[in-house]
Amino acid sequence: MERSKIIAIITGAISILLAIAYLIIVQILDYRDMKPAPISQVNQPPAIIAYSWH
């Protein structure tokens, strides 16, 4: 086998492994039960909207 073919096969295998790892991580994160934060714990300052008329 030529060296370029070996490198292509290795990089293809690495790409497939990364894709499978990504899918597994996404499935694990998606499986978690995500609950939204209570409104009382969200401390956002009021929005200030300024208009500039020229």
Side-chain angles (χ1 to χ4, degrees):
M1 261 191 180
E2 296 177 17
R3 185 167 188 247
S4 61
K5 285 186 180 180
I6 294 172
I7 292 173
I9 291 172
I10 291 173
T11 55
I14 291 171
S15 173
I16 291 172
L17 289 174
L18 287 174
I20 292 172
Y22 172 78
L23 290 175
I24 291 171
I25 291 171
V26 167
Q27 288 298 319
I28 290 172
L29 292 176
D30 192 39
Y31 180 73
R32 299 186 305 172
D33 187 25
M34 301 294 283
K35 295 178 183 174
I39 300 297
S40 61
Q41 293 184 4
V42 178
N43 296 326
Q44 290 184 339
I48 300 173
I49 301 173
Y51 290 101
S52 175
W53 298 95
H54 293 277

